[in-house]
Amino acid sequence: PKIIVALGKPAAIALHVPGASKKLEKIRGKFFEVTLHDKKYRVLVTYHPSRVIREKMKPYKVWYDDLCNALLA
């Protein structure tokens, strides 16, 4: 894959995203480069769908904003 989307903090930690132990708000919407099985991948960190629903966020806005911010950075 060209991009891996980590949905939530546990996914970010499992993918060894730098800074994943920090609050999700500090790392969401940014691309990180990680190495898995000797290959480099770009990982975008964002909220897990259950958190978006639980906190009554607007899914389209949250994920669209994260992707746009990451691509423009």
Side-chain angles (χ1 to χ4, degrees):
K2 292 184 180 183
I3 297 172
I4 297 173
V5 179
L7 297 175
K9 188 174 178 178
I13 291 170
L15 291 168
H16 305 288
V17 170
S21 60
K22 297 178 185 176
K23 287 191 170 204
L24 187 64
E25 290 78 9
K26 296 198 182 269
I27 61 170
R28 71 173 270 255
K30 298 177 187 171
F31 275 115
F32 296 90
E33 191 171 282
V34 299
T35 303
L36 303 168
H37 304 289
D38 298 325
K39 288 187 179 181
K40 292 186 179 188
Y41 297 96
R42 291 177 72 196
V43 177
L44 173 67
V45 180
T46 190
Y47 292 121
H48 189 277
S50 65
R51 181 170 179 185
V52 172
I53 292 167
R54 185 176 60 246
E55 295 187 15
K56 296 180 173 73
M57 300 176 188
K58 294 181 179 169
Y60 176 81
K61 181 170 177 22
V62 170
W63 293 316
Y64 181 80
D65 287 351
D66 283 352
L67 185 57
C68 285
N69 289 339
L71 292 174
L72 294 173

Coordinates of all heavy atoms in Angstrom, one line a residue:
P1 N 0.8 -1.2 0.0 CA 0.0 0.0 0.0 C 0.9 1.3 0.0 O 2.0 1.3 0.5 CB -0.8 -0.1 1.3 CG 0.0 -1.0 2.2 CD 0.7 -1.9 1.3
K2 N 0.4 2.3 -0.6 CA 1.1 3.6 -0.6 C 0.9 4.3 0.8 O 1.8 5.0 1.2 CB 0.6 4.5 -1.7 CG 0.9 4.0 -3.1 CD 0.5 4.9 -4.1 CE 0.8 4.4 -5.5 NZ 0.5 5.3 -6.6
I3 N -0.2 4.2 1.4 CA -0.5 4.8 2.6 C -1.2 3.8 3.5 O -2.1 3.1 3.1 CB -1.4 6.0 2.5 CG1 -0.8 7.1 1.6 CG2 -1.8 6.6 3.8 CD1 -1.7 8.2 1.2
I4 N -0.9 3.8 4.8 CA -1.6 3.0 5.8 C -2.3 4.0 6.7 O -1.7 5.0 7.2 CB -0.6 2.1 6.6 CG1 0.0 1.1 5.7 CG2 -1.4 1.5 7.8 CD1 1.1 0.3 6.4
V5 N -3.6 3.8 7.0 CA -4.3 4.7 7.9 C -4.5 4.0 9.2 O -5.1 2.9 9.3 CB -5.7 5.1 7.3 CG1 -6.4 6.0 8.3 CG2 -5.5 5.8 6.0
A6 N -3.9 4.5 10.3 CA -4.0 4.0 11.6 C -5.2 4.6 12.3 O -5.2 5.8 12.6 CB -2.7 4.3 12.4
L7 N -6.2 3.8 12.5 CA -7.5 4.2 13.1 C -7.4 4.1 14.7 O -7.7 3.0 15.2 CB -8.7 3.5 12.6 CG -8.9 3.6 11.1 CD1 -10.0 2.7 10.6 CD2 -9.2 5.1 10.8
G8 N -6.9 5.1 15.3 CA -6.8 5.1 16.8 C -5.4 4.9 17.3 O -4.5 4.5 16.6
K9 N -5.3 5.2 18.6 CA -4.0 5.1 19.2 C -3.4 3.6 19.3 O -2.2 3.4 19.0 CB -4.1 5.6 20.6 CG -2.8 5.8 21.3 CD -3.0 6.5 22.7 CE -1.7 6.6 23.4 NZ -1.8 7.4 24.7
P10 N -4.2 2.6 19.6 CA -3.7 1.3 19.6 C -3.1 0.9 18.2 O -2.1 0.2 18.2 CB -4.9 0.4 19.9 CG -5.8 1.3 20.7 CD -5.6 2.6 20.1
A11 N -3.7 1.3 17.1 CA -3.2 1.0 15.8 C -1.9 1.7 15.6 O -0.9 1.1 15.0 CB -4.2 1.4 14.7
A12 N -1.8 2.9 16.0 CA -0.6 3.7 15.9 C 0.6 3.1 16.6 O 1.7 3.0 16.2 CB -0.8 5.2 16.3
I13 N 0.3 2.6 17.8 CA 1.3 2.0 18.7 C 1.7 0.7 18.0 O 2.9 0.4 17.9 CB 0.8 1.7 20.1 CG1 0.6 3.1 20.8 CG2 1.7 0.8 20.9 CD1 -0.1 3.0 22.1
A14 N 0.8 -0.1 17.5 CA 1.1 -1.4 16.9 C 2.0 -1.2 15.6 O 2.8 -2.1 15.3 CB -0.2 -2.1 16.5
L15 N 1.8 -0.1 14.9 CA 2.6 0.2 13.7 C 3.9 0.9 14.0 O 4.6 1.3 13.1 CB 1.8 1.0 12.7 CG 0.6 0.3 12.1 CD1 -0.3 1.3 11.4 CD2 1.1 -0.8 11.2
H16 N 4.2 1.1 15.3 CA 5.4 1.8 15.8 C 5.5 3.2 15.2 O 6.6 3.6 14.8 CB 6.6 0.9 15.4 CG 6.6 -0.5 15.9 ND1 6.7 -0.8 17.2 CD2 6.3 -1.6 15.3 CE1 6.6 -2.1 17.4 NE2 6.4 -2.6 16.2
V17 N 4.4 3.9 15.3 CA 4.4 5.3 14.8 C 5.2 6.1 15.9 O 4.9 6.0 17.1 CB 3.0 5.9 14.7 CG1 3.0 7.4 14.5 CG2 2.3 5.1 13.5
P18 N 6.2 7.0 15.5 CA 6.9 7.8 16.5 C 5.9 8.7 17.2 O 5.1 9.3 16.6 CB 7.8 8.6 15.6 CG 7.9 7.9 14.3 CD 6.6 7.2 14.1
G19 N 6.0 8.7 18.5 CA 5.2 9.6 19.4 C 3.8 9.0 19.6 O 2.9 9.7 20.1
A20 N 3.6 7.7 19.3 CA 2.2 7.1 19.4 C 1.8 7.0 20.9 O 0.6 6.9 21.2 CB 2.2 5.8 18.8
S21 N 2.8 7.1 21.8 CA 2.4 7.0 23.2 C 1.9 8.4 23.7 O 1.3 8.4 24.8 CB 3.6 6.6 24.1 OG 4.7 7.6 23.9
K22 N 2.0 9.4 22.9 CA 1.4 10.7 23.3 C -0.1 10.7 23.1 O -0.7 9.8 22.5 CB 2.0 11.8 22.4 CG 3.5 12.0 22.6 CD 4.0 13.1 21.7 CE 5.5 13.2 21.8 NZ 6.1 14.1 20.9
K23 N -0.8 11.8 23.4 CA -2.2 11.9 23.2 C -2.4 11.9 21.7 O -1.7 12.5 20.9 CB -2.7 13.2 23.7 CG -2.9 13.2 25.2 CD -3.7 14.4 25.7 CE -4.0 14.2 27.1 NZ -5.1 15.0 27.5
L24 N -3.5 11.2 21.2 CA -3.8 11.1 19.8 C -4.0 12.5 19.2 O -3.6 12.6 18.0 CB -5.1 10.3 19.7 CG -5.5 9.9 18.2 CD1 -4.4 9.0 17.6 CD2 -6.8 9.2 18.2
E25 N -4.5 13.4 19.9 CA -4.7 14.8 19.3 C -3.4 15.4 18.8 O -3.4 16.2 17.9 CB -5.4 15.7 20.3 CG -6.8 15.3 20.6 CD -7.0 14.2 21.6 OE1 -6.0 13.7 22.2 OE2 -8.1 13.7 21.7
K26 N -2.3 15.0 19.4 CA -1.0 15.6 19.0 C -0.4 15.0 17.8 O 0.4 15.6 17.1 CB 0.0 15.5 20.2 CG -0.4 16.3 21.4 CD 0.8 16.5 22.3 CE 0.3 17.2 23.6 NZ 0.4 18.6 23.4
I27 N -0.8 13.7 17.4 CA -0.2 13.1 16.3 C -1.2 12.9 15.1 O -0.8 12.5 14.0 CB 0.4 11.7 16.7 CG1 -0.6 10.8 17.3 CG2 1.6 11.9 17.6 CD1 -0.1 9.3 17.4
R28 N -2.5 13.1 15.4 CA -3.5 12.8 14.3 C -3.4 13.8 13.2 O -2.9 15.0 13.4 CB -4.9 12.8 14.9 CG -5.4 14.2 15.3 CD -6.9 14.1 15.7 NE -7.7 14.4 14.5 CZ -8.4 15.5 14.3 NH1 -8.3 16.5 15.1 NH2 -9.1 15.6 13.2
G29 N -3.7 13.4 12.0 CA -3.7 14.2 10.8 C -2.3 14.5 10.3 O -2.1 15.4 9.5
K30 N -1.3 13.7 10.7 CA 0.0 13.8 10.2 C 0.5 12.5 9.6 O 0.1 11.4 10.1 CB 1.0 14.2 11.3 CG 0.6 15.6 12.0 CD 1.6 15.9 13.1 CE 1.1 17.1 13.8 NZ 1.8 17.3 15.1
F31 N 1.4 12.6 8.6 CA 2.0 11.4 8.1 C 3.3 11.1 8.9 O 4.0 12.0 9.2 CB 2.4 11.6 6.6 CG 1.2 11.3 5.7 CD1 0.7 12.3 4.9 CD2 0.7 10.0 5.6 CE1 -0.3 12.1 4.0 CE2 -0.3 9.8 4.7 CZ -0.8 10.8 3.9
F32 N 3.5 9.8 9.1 CA 4.8 9.4 9.7 C 5.3 8.3 8.8 O 4.6 7.5 8.2 CB 4.5 8.8 11.1 CG 4.0 9.8 12.1 CD1 2.6 10.1 12.2 CD2 4.9 10.6 12.8 CE1 2.1 11.0 13.1 CE2 4.4 11.5 13.7 CZ 3.0 11.7 13.9
E33 N 6.6 8.2 8.8 CA 7.3 7.1 8.0 C 7.6 6.0 9.0 O 8.3 6.3 10.0 CB 8.5 7.6 7.3 CG 9.0 6.6 6.3 CD 10.1 7.2 5.4 OE1 9.8 8.0 4.5 OE2 11.3 7.0 5.7
V34 N 7.2 4.8 8.7 CA 7.5 3.7 9.5 C 8.1 2.6 8.7 O 7.8 2.5 7.5 CB 6.3 3.1 10.3 CG1 5.8 4.2 11.3 CG2 5.2 2.6 9.4
T35 N 8.9 1.7 9.3 CA 9.5 0.6 8.6 C 8.9 -0.7 9.1 O 9.0 -0.9 10.3 CB 11.0 0.6 8.7 OG1 11.6 1.8 8.3 CG2 11.7 -0.5 7.9
L36 N 8.3 -1.5 8.2 CA 7.7 -2.7 8.6 C 8.3 -3.8 7.6 O 8.2 -3.6 6.4 CB 6.2 -2.7 8.4 CG 5.5 -1.6 9.3 CD1 4.1 -1.5 8.9 CD2 5.6 -2.0 10.7
H37 N 8.9 -4.8 8.1 CA 9.5 -5.9 7.3 C 10.4 -5.3 6.2 O 10.3 -5.7 5.1 CB 8.4 -6.8 6.7 CG 7.4 -7.3 7.7 ND1 7.8 -8.3 8.5 CD2 6.1 -7.0 8.0 CE1 6.8 -8.6 9.3 NE2 5.8 -7.9 9.0
D38 N 11.3 -4.4 6.7 CA 12.3 -3.8 5.8 C 11.7 -3.0 4.7 O 12.4 -2.7 3.7 CB 13.2 -4.9 5.2 CG 14.0 -5.6 6.3 OD1 14.3 -5.0 7.3 OD2 14.2 -6.8 6.2
K39 N 10.5 -2.6 4.7 CA 9.9 -1.7 3.8 C 9.4 -0.4 4.5 O 8.9 -0.5 5.6 CB 8.7 -2.3 3.0 CG 9.1 -3.4 2.1 CD 7.9 -3.8 1.3 CE 8.3 -4.9 0.3 NZ 7.1 -5.3 -0.5
K40 N 9.5 0.7 3.8 CA 9.1 2.0 4.4 C 7.6 2.3 3.9 O 7.3 2.1 2.8 CB 10.0 3.1 4.1 CG 11.3 3.0 4.8 CD 12.2 4.1 4.5 CE 13.5 3.9 5.3 NZ 14.4 5.1 5.3
Y41 N 6.8 2.7 4.9 CA 5.4 3.1 4.6 C 5.1 4.4 5.2 O 5.7 4.8 6.2 CB 4.5 2.1 5.2 CG 4.6 0.7 4.6 CD1 5.4 -0.3 5.2 CD2 4.0 0.3 3.4 CE1 5.5 -1.6 4.7 CE2 4.1 -0.9 2.8 CZ 4.8 -1.9 3.5 OH 5.0 -3.1 3.0
R42 N 4.2 5.1 4.6 CA 3.6 6.4 5.2 C 2.4 6.0 5.9 O 1.5 5.3 5.4 CB 3.3 7.4 4.1 CG 4.6 7.9 3.4 CD 4.2 8.8 2.3 NE 3.7 10.1 2.8 CZ 3.1 11.0 2.1 NH1 2.8 10.8 0.9 NH2 2.7 12.1 2.7
V43 N 2.3 6.4 7.2 CA 1.2 6.1 8.0 C 0.5 7.4 8.4 O 1.1 8.3 8.9 CB 1.6 5.3 9.3 CG1 0.4 5.1 10.2 CG2 2.3 4.0 8.9
L44 N -0.8 7.5 8.2 CA -1.6 8.6 8.7 C -2.4 8.1 9.9 O -3.1 7.1 9.9 CB -2.6 9.0 7.6 CG -3.6 10.1 7.9 CD1 -2.9 11.4 8.2 CD2 -4.7 10.2 6.8
V45 N -2.3 8.9 10.9 CA -3.0 8.6 12.2 C -4.2 9.5 12.3 O -4.2 10.7 12.1 CB -2.1 8.8 13.4 CG1 -2.8 8.5 14.7 CG2 -0.8 8.0 13.3
T46 N -5.4 8.8 12.6 CA -6.6 9.5 12.9 C -7.5 8.8 13.9 O -7.0 7.8 14.4 CB -7.4 9.7 11.5 OG1 -8.5 10.6 11.7 CG2 -7.9 8.4 11.0
Y47 N -8.6 9.3 14.2 CA -9.5 8.7 15.2 C -10.1 7.4 14.7 O -10.4 7.2 13.5 CB -10.7 9.6 15.5 CG -10.2 10.9 16.2 CD1 -10.5 12.1 15.7 CD2 -9.6 10.9 17.5 CE1 -10.2 13.3 16.4 CE2 -9.2 12.0 18.1 CZ -9.5 13.2 17.6 OH -9.2 14.4 18.2
H48 N -10.3 6.5 15.6 CA -11.1 5.3 15.4 C -12.5 5.6 15.2 O -13.0 6.5 15.9 CB -10.9 4.3 16.6 CG -11.4 2.9 16.3 ND1 -12.7 2.6 16.4 CD2 -10.8 1.8 15.8 CE1 -12.9 1.4 16.1 NE2 -11.7 0.9 15.7
P49 N -13.3 4.9 14.3 CA -14.7 5.2 14.1 C -15.5 5.2 15.4 O -16.4 6.0 15.6 CB -15.1 4.1 13.2 CG -13.9 3.7 12.5 CD -12.8 3.9 13.4
S50 N -15.2 4.3 16.3 CA -16.0 4.3 17.6 C -15.9 5.5 18.4 O -16.8 6.0 19.0 CB -15.7 3.0 18.4 OG -14.3 3.1 18.9
R51 N -14.7 6.1 18.4 CA -14.5 7.4 19.1 C -15.3 8.5 18.4 O -15.8 9.4 19.1 CB -13.0 7.7 19.2 CG -12.8 9.0 20.0 CD -11.4 9.3 20.3 NE -11.2 10.5 21.1 CZ -10.1 11.0 21.4 NH1 -9.0 10.4 21.1 NH2 -10.0 12.2 22.0
V52 N -15.2 8.5 17.1 CA -16.0 9.6 16.4 C -17.5 9.5 16.7 O -18.1 10.5 17.0 CB -15.7 9.4 14.8 CG1 -16.6 10.3 14.1 CG2 -14.3 9.6 14.5
I53 N -18.0 8.3 16.8 CA -19.4 8.1 17.1 C -19.7 8.5 18.6 O -20.6 9.2 18.9 CB -19.9 6.7 16.8 CG1 -19.9 6.5 15.2 CG2 -21.3 6.4 17.3 CD1 -20.0 5.0 14.8
R54 N -18.9 8.0 19.4 CA -19.1 8.2 20.9 C -19.0 9.6 21.3 O -19.8 10.1 22.1 CB -18.0 7.4 21.6 CG -18.1 7.4 23.1 CD -17.1 6.5 23.8 NE -15.7 6.9 23.5 CZ -14.8 6.2 22.9 NH1 -15.2 5.0 22.4 NH2 -13.6 6.7 22.6
E55 N -18.1 10.4 20.6 CA -18.0 11.8 21.0 C -18.8 12.7 20.0 O -18.6 13.9 20.0 CB -16.5 12.2 21.0 CG -15.7 11.4 22.1 CD -14.3 11.9 22.2 OE1 -13.9 12.9 21.7 OE2 -13.6 11.1 22.9
K56 N -19.6 12.1 19.2 CA -20.6 12.8 18.3 C -19.8 13.8 17.4 O -20.2 15.0 17.2 CB -21.6 13.6 19.2 CG -22.5 12.6 19.9 CD -23.6 13.3 20.7 CE -24.6 12.4 21.3 NZ -24.1 11.6 22.4
M57 N -18.7 13.3 16.9 CA -18.0 14.1 15.9 C -18.6 13.9 14.5 O -19.3 12.9 14.3 CB -16.5 13.7 15.8 CG -15.7 13.8 17.1 SD -14.1 13.1 16.9 CE -13.4 13.2 18.5
K58 N -18.3 14.7 13.6 CA -18.8 14.6 12.2 C -17.7 13.8 11.5 O -16.7 14.3 11.2 CB -19.1 15.9 11.6 CG -20.2 16.7 12.2 CD -20.5 18.0 11.6 CE -21.6 18.7 12.3 NZ -21.8 20.0 11.9
P59 N -18.0 12.5 11.1 CA -17.0 11.6 10.5 C -16.4 12.2 9.3 O -15.2 12.2 9.1 CB -17.7 10.3 10.2 CG -18.9 10.4 11.0 CD -19.3 11.8 11.3
Y60 N -17.2 12.7 8.4 CA -16.6 13.2 7.1 C -15.6 14.4 7.4 O -14.6 14.4 6.8 CB -17.8 13.8 6.2 CG -17.3 14.4 5.0 CD1 -17.0 13.6 3.9 CD2 -17.2 15.8 4.9 CE1 -16.5 14.2 2.7 CE2 -16.8 16.4 3.7 CZ -16.4 15.6 2.6 OH -16.0 16.2 1.5
K61 N -16.0 15.3 8.3 CA -15.1 16.4 8.6 C -13.8 16.0 9.3 O -12.8 16.4 8.9 CB -15.9 17.4 9.5 CG -15.0 18.6 9.8 CD -15.8 19.7 10.5 CE -15.0 20.9 10.9 NZ -13.8 21.2 10.3
V62 N -13.9 15.1 10.2 CA -12.8 14.6 10.9 C -11.8 14.0 10.0 O -10.6 14.3 9.9 CB -13.1 13.6 12.1 CG1 -11.9 12.9 12.6 CG2 -13.9 14.3 13.2
W63 N -12.2 13.0 9.2 CA -11.3 12.2 8.4 C -10.9 13.0 7.2 O -9.7 13.0 6.7 CB -11.9 10.9 8.0 CG -12.0 10.0 9.2 CD1 -11.1 9.8 10.2 CD2 -13.1 9.2 9.6 NE1 -11.6 9.0 11.1 CE2 -12.8 8.6 10.8 CE3 -14.4 9.0 9.0 CZ2 -13.7 7.7 11.4 CZ3 -15.2 8.1 9.6 CH2 -14.9 7.5 10.8
Y64 N -11.8 13.9 6.6 CA -11.4 14.7 5.5 C -10.4 15.7 5.9 O -9.4 15.9 5.2 CB -12.7 15.4 4.9 CG -12.4 16.3 3.7 CD1 -12.3 15.7 2.5 CD2 -12.2 17.7 3.9 CE1 -12.0 16.6 1.4 CE2 -12.0 18.5 2.8 CZ -11.9 17.9 1.5 OH -11.6 18.7 0.5
D65 N -10.6 16.4 7.1 CA -9.6 17.3 7.6 C -8.2 16.7 7.8 O -7.2 17.3 7.5 CB -10.1 18.0 8.9 CG -11.2 19.0 8.6 OD1 -11.5 19.3 7.5 OD2 -11.8 19.4 9.6
D66 N -8.2 15.5 8.4 CA -7.0 14.8 8.7 C -6.2 14.5 7.4 O -5.0 14.8 7.3 CB -7.2 13.5 9.5 CG -7.5 13.8 10.9 OD1 -7.4 14.9 11.4 OD2 -7.8 12.8 11.6
L67 N -6.9 14.0 6.4 CA -6.3 13.6 5.1 C -5.8 14.9 4.4 O -4.7 14.9 3.9 CB -7.2 12.8 4.3 CG -6.6 12.3 3.0 CD1 -5.4 11.4 3.3 CD2 -7.7 11.5 2.2
C68 N -6.6 15.9 4.4 CA -6.2 17.2 3.7 C -5.0 17.8 4.3 O -4.1 18.2 3.7 CB -7.4 18.1 3.6 SG -8.6 17.7 2.4
N69 N -5.1 17.9 5.7 CA -3.9 18.5 6.4 C -2.7 17.7 6.2 O -1.6 18.3 6.0 CB -4.2 18.6 7.9 CG -5.3 19.6 8.2 OD1 -5.5 20.5 7.4 ND2 -5.9 19.4 9.3
A70 N -2.7 16.4 6.2 CA -1.6 15.6 6.0 C -1.0 15.8 4.6 O 0.2 15.9 4.4 CB -1.9 14.1 6.2
L71 N -1.9 15.8 3.6 CA -1.4 15.9 2.2 C -0.8 17.3 1.9 O 0.0 17.5 1.1 CB -2.6 15.6 1.2 CG -3.0 14.2 1.2 CD1 -4.3 14.0 0.3 CD2 -1.9 13.3 0.7
L72 N -1.3 18.3 2.6 CA -0.9 19.7 2.4 C 0.4 20.0 3.2 O 1.1 21.0 2.9 CB -2.0 20.7 2.7 CG -3.2 20.7 1.8 CD1 -4.3 21.6 2.3 CD2 -2.8 21.0 0.4
A73 N 0.7 19.2 4.1 CA 1.9 19.5 5.0 C 3.2 19.2 4.3 O 3.3 18.5 3.3 CB 1.8 18.7 6.3

